[in-house]
Amino acid sequence: MKSVQELDKEIADVQKELADVHGTETEVYARIVGYYRAIKNWNKGKAEEFKMRKNFKLEDSSEYDNDQTTFSPESEMLMEDERFEESPAAPAQASQGQNPAAQAASSELRYELFARKTCPNCPPVKEWIANSGLTGKTIDVDTEQGLNEAAQKGVFAAPTVIFYKADGSETARAHNVAELEEIFNLATA
């Protein structure tokens, strides 16, 4: 065991070392006109612009819903209890202009849409799905239940739409409207 004098000497030595610490300059990189570059190499105008920038966190924004863990059936994105119940009829706008093959494909395909309330890419995908006449469900990955289901199915991004055949086997995945249209066109070809 060390004596009190030995411990006091060690503490004094460490404090002396800490008082004489000399580090190196930290090089800060930031995005400037499409690429990242060290701030110390920026011209005066861009350096002044950088000083005026304000940092923010999405979580602190008034637009961010801090109570996302609470699930409510009235929320915009519902978790339907029915796994794949048939809808009574496809929406009128979805069936207008579709050929019989497209209508048959839409009745055979089912979907699961994994989305978030704060996702900027989810609304166009949700609108496309709503107008498609397909049957399925929307899963809110902001909820614990939705996040668990997404993890089980290997969904790492929102939006993700998984298509299933009538027998329940997965047939395709899409993340945007262009991919949805491609999948839907292949299914109706």
Side-chain angles (χ1 to χ4, degrees):
M1 277 190 131
K2 294 183 181 181
S3 68
V4 174
Q5 291 81 16
E6 291 174 333
L7 289 174
D8 286 339
K9 183 179 182 316
E10 283 183 26
I11 291 172
D13 291 342
V14 169
Q15 286 176 339
K16 187 188 268 187
E17 287 177 20
L18 288 175
D20 194 36
V21 171
H22 299 289
T24 58
E25 181 181 343
T26 301
E27 192 167 36
V28 177
Y29 282 75
R31 188 174 169 91
I32 178 174
V33 194
Y35 60 93
Y36 289 91
R37 186 172 179 191
I39 293 174
K40 70 179 182 180
N41 296 331
W42 288 10
N43 66 35
K44 288 182 183 180
K46 287 293 179 186
E48 285 299 314
E49 177 188 317
F50 180 77
K51 290 177 187 174
M52 293 187 302
R53 289 182 186 178
K54 295 189 185 286
N55 292 325
F56 70 94
K57 291 182 182 177
L58 179 62
E59 292 81 12
D60 296 337
S61 168
S62 62
E63 299 295 319
Y64 188 77
D65 180 10
N66 289 322
D67 191 23
Q68 293 178 356
T69 57
T70 306
F71 176 75
S72 103
E74 294 82 26
S75 69
E76 177 184 348
M77 311 227 315
L78 299 175
M79 292 249 338
E80 300 171 9
D81 290 333
E82 311 83 25
R83 176 112 177 118
F84 291 121
E85 263 189 33
E86 290 292 330
S87 59
Q93 69 242 41
S95 60
Q96 290 175 351
Q98 282 187 351
N99 61 31
Q103 289 176 356
S106 68
S107 67
E108 293 172 10
L109 284 178
R110 306 290 184 266
Y111 73 86
E112 287 181 332
L113 167 59
F114 293 85
R116 299 188 66 195
K117 293 176 191 170
T118 57
C119 165
N121 300 320
C122 291
V125 171
K126 287 175 21 183
E127 181 180 350
W128 190 95
I129 287 288
N131 294 330
S132 70
L134 296 173
T135 303
K137 68 178 182 175
T138 298
I139 299 165
D140 183 354
V141 295
D142 287 327
T143 66
E144 187 174 339
Q145 181 182 4
L147 188 60
N148 289 338
E149 192 165 346
Q152 289 173 352
K153 297 188 177 172
V155 173
F156 300 108
T160 296
V161 182
I162 303 176
F163 288 100
Y164 298 93
K165 294 179 185 176
D167 66 1
S169 61
E170 182 178 330
T171 183
R173 289 187 182 210
H175 301 91
N176 56 47
V177 172
E179 291 176 0
L180 287 168
E181 288 175 349
E182 184 178 338
I183 290 166
F184 194 70
N185 290 337
L186 288 173
T188 60

